[in-house]
Each structure stands twice: as structure tokens, then as C-alpha cells.
Amino acid sequence: MKCLILAGGSGTRFWPYSRHNRPKQLLNIIGDQSMLQMTVDRLKKIKKVTDIYIITRKDLRDSIINDITGVEPENVIVEPSGKNTAPAIGIVGAFLNLTDPDSVMGVFPADHIIVGHRKFQKAVYAADRIAKKDENLVTIGIKPTKPSTAYGYIQLNEISEEDHLDAYRVKTFAEKPHKELAKRFLASGDFLWNAGIFVWQINTLLSSIEKHMPELYDTLLTIREHLESSKSIDKLWESIIPQSIDYGLMEKANNIFVVPADFEWNDLGSWDSLYEIFAKKDGENVIRGSGTVL
């Protein structure tokens, strides 16, 4: 498996601690390592993983190369400008297609907390196996522990297919719900949190983009030709319409499976979410560093 870590980010989620040139994934928010380094280390523990790639903004490349261990400098890929997740994933898929089109590609956010490595690895292995069977797009969903309005949801078919006992076909993707709808999602038992983790064969990814996002696919083919001849892709890239992989591909395809996982997960989307995971003391306060409650 070749793994791609999405590490763009504008530095707004944890302002003023984060900045444009030091976004969340490069901060030591919950320990002595950055979120990105924790993600790299997590993936390197998985035996199936052979290569790790990071796609990021041009102005973050040097910081990542200097601060992150375990990833070769040439595997830190720069997107000319932010175009959301579909073009970012697509360009790396087109790049990897040049040398290893039949390999499996895993896509992971750079800045999520995952606790329970064995459960995480088990889910990744199941996704890898299903991606290799037929031409399946696979995502990993988190079993919800509360009716959260902070996450998108994935609805699954309740009956697992015999060929994929660890996974279910996806019925639909749902945007972040309001509180009452989130409660109904949780009560139904057939909704999972959307963790933004995807696994597929590179050929399957590109053929799916061709079917559901043909304009992007055509541009990616030309970009691939430019990559082969070391030509600039900046003008081609600017012509791409920004779009998320969820909206552009996953919500349209019908060959999607979801692997339910029960490792502890949090995408740390706000200061409130950080407050939830830290131990409380002195009147429900969280103190990090040399703080004092008066």
C-alpha cells in the first residue's frame, strides 16, 4: 500500500496558536510531536505500507521536509494552489499511475487523533483487501459514540455481503446534521462518522474520476504527460475547478464499501474538541503548561 497524507491547511482552526505558515498539522497540540509526525509514525507501523507521500502547499514544503522524519523529501509533493481534496488526490494518483498503476493507495488526513493501533490496522487491512477485490472504492467509518453535529456521516446497508464480511455497501453520505437529525442517525444504528480515510487501487481511482469527474480526469491526463517530460503544470492546475473527493466522487459512485471501525477518533476541528479529550481539573479547567486557576 502506498499512503497519501493530505497536509494543506490554512492555519485557521486553532488560531491564534496556529498560523498560515504553521497550520494545525505542524503543531504539537496533544504531545511532544506534531499531528503530521504522529500520522506518519502511525502509518509506518503498518507492515503493508511501502511508501508514504505528503501533498501540501508550496510554502509548507520546506517546513515539512525539515521537521518530519520517515518520509523521503522527494515524496513531499507540492500542489501549485489549493483546489480541495479531489484534485490533490487525483494528481498524486496520476503521478503514481506512471510507475505502479495496480498498487493500492490509502488516503489519510494529516491531523486526526487515532487511539488503538491494532483496531486501526485491522480496519486498514480490511479496506486493502476489499479494494483489491473487483474495482471497489473503500472508506473507513467510525462507529459514533454521541450525536455529533461536527462530523459528516455515512449510511450503510445493514446486511454485509458474503464476500466482504468486514464491510458494507454505502447507501449515502450525509453532511453535518443538526442536533435532532444527529440523534436520529445515532438511534438508527446504520450511520457512521465520516473520517475522510479512503483506500482504492490507483487504476480504480482514475477510472472512477474519468466516469464521474471527466473534466478533472482529462486535465490529470495532460498533467501526467507534463510530469513525464518535467514540464510545468501550473497553468493546467489553475484551470481545475476546486472540489472535494466526497462531493465529486464518493457521493456519485455506486461501488463504495465502508469498513466500520471502533478505534478512538477525533478530527480536532476546534478548541472545543481539544477540550473534550484533555483531563479536567480545578473546576473543569484544562491546564497545559505553567497555568494557574485563580
Side-chain angles (χ1 to χ4, degrees), residues 54-163:
I54 298 172
I55 187 164
T56 189
R57 305 187 332 237
K58 183 177 181 179
D59 58 321
L60 294 181
R61 182 178 183 272
D62 288 345
S63 295
I64 289 174
I65 289 175
N66 292 332
D67 297 349
I68 301 302
T69 61
V71 178
E72 297 298 326
E74 59 267 25
N75 285 6
V76 180
I77 299 170
V78 171
E79 52 180 340
S81 61
K83 294 288 185 178
N84 215 320
T85 53
I89 294 169
I91 190 176
V92 177
F95 170 72
L96 296 177
N97 184 255
L98 290 172
T99 55
D100 202 355
D102 295 323
S103 64
V104 171
M105 172 187 185
V107 180
F108 302 86
D111 49 10
H112 291 183
I113 294 177
I114 291 176
V115 179
H117 182 73
R118 289 185 179 180
K119 291 180 178 180
F120 172 69
Q121 180 175 266
K122 180 182 177 182
V124 171
Y125 276 22
D128 173 77
R129 184 175 64 256
I130 296 163
K132 290 174 180 175
K133 271 197 170 186
D134 305 319
E135 294 184 355
N136 298 316
L137 303 171
V138 188
T139 184
I140 295 176
I142 310 300
K143 295 177 183 177
T145 57
K146 60 183 179 180
S148 175
T149 60
Y151 308 136
Y153 285 74
I154 302 169
Q155 186 181 22
L156 50 79
N157 278 317
E158 294 180 357
I159 301 176
S160 177
E161 297 190 7
E162 290 184 6
D163 290 343

Side-chain angles (χ1 to χ4, degrees), residues 170-213:
V170 171
K171 277 187 180 180
T172 187
F173 288 82
E175 298 295 328
K176 297 175 183 178
H178 55 74
K179 193 68 174 181
E180 290 305 314
L181 185 55
K183 289 179 180 178
R184 293 202 292 271
F185 284 174
L186 191 64
S188 72
D190 59 353
F191 280 86
L192 304 169
W193 286 335
N194 185 353
I197 299 173
F198 308 103
V199 179
W200 39 51
Q201 291 189 60
I202 293 171
N203 274 339
T204 302
L205 168 66
L206 293 179
S207 64
S208 299
I209 291 176
E210 180 181 17
K211 180 177 180 180
H212 300 288
M213 307 180 73

Side-chain angles (χ1 to χ4, degrees), residues 14 17 23-39 42 110-116 264-279 286-289:
F14 280 89
Y17 185 31
K24 179 176 67 169
Q25 67 266 23
L26 294 180
L27 300 178
N28 300 1
I29 292 179
I30 63 167
D32 297 330
Q33 292 182 313
S34 69
M35 302 297 293
L36 178 55
Q37 186 65 65
M38 292 170 65
T39 301
R42 184 184 307 124
D111 49 10
H112 291 183
I113 294 177
I114 291 176
V115 179
E264 294 181 38
W265 172 85
N266 192 313
D267 79 341
L268 284 188
S270 66
W271 285 110
D272 287 342
S273 63
L274 189 61
Y275 174 81
E276 289 178 6
I277 67 171
F278 282 144
V286 172
I287 300 176
R288 302 278 290 177

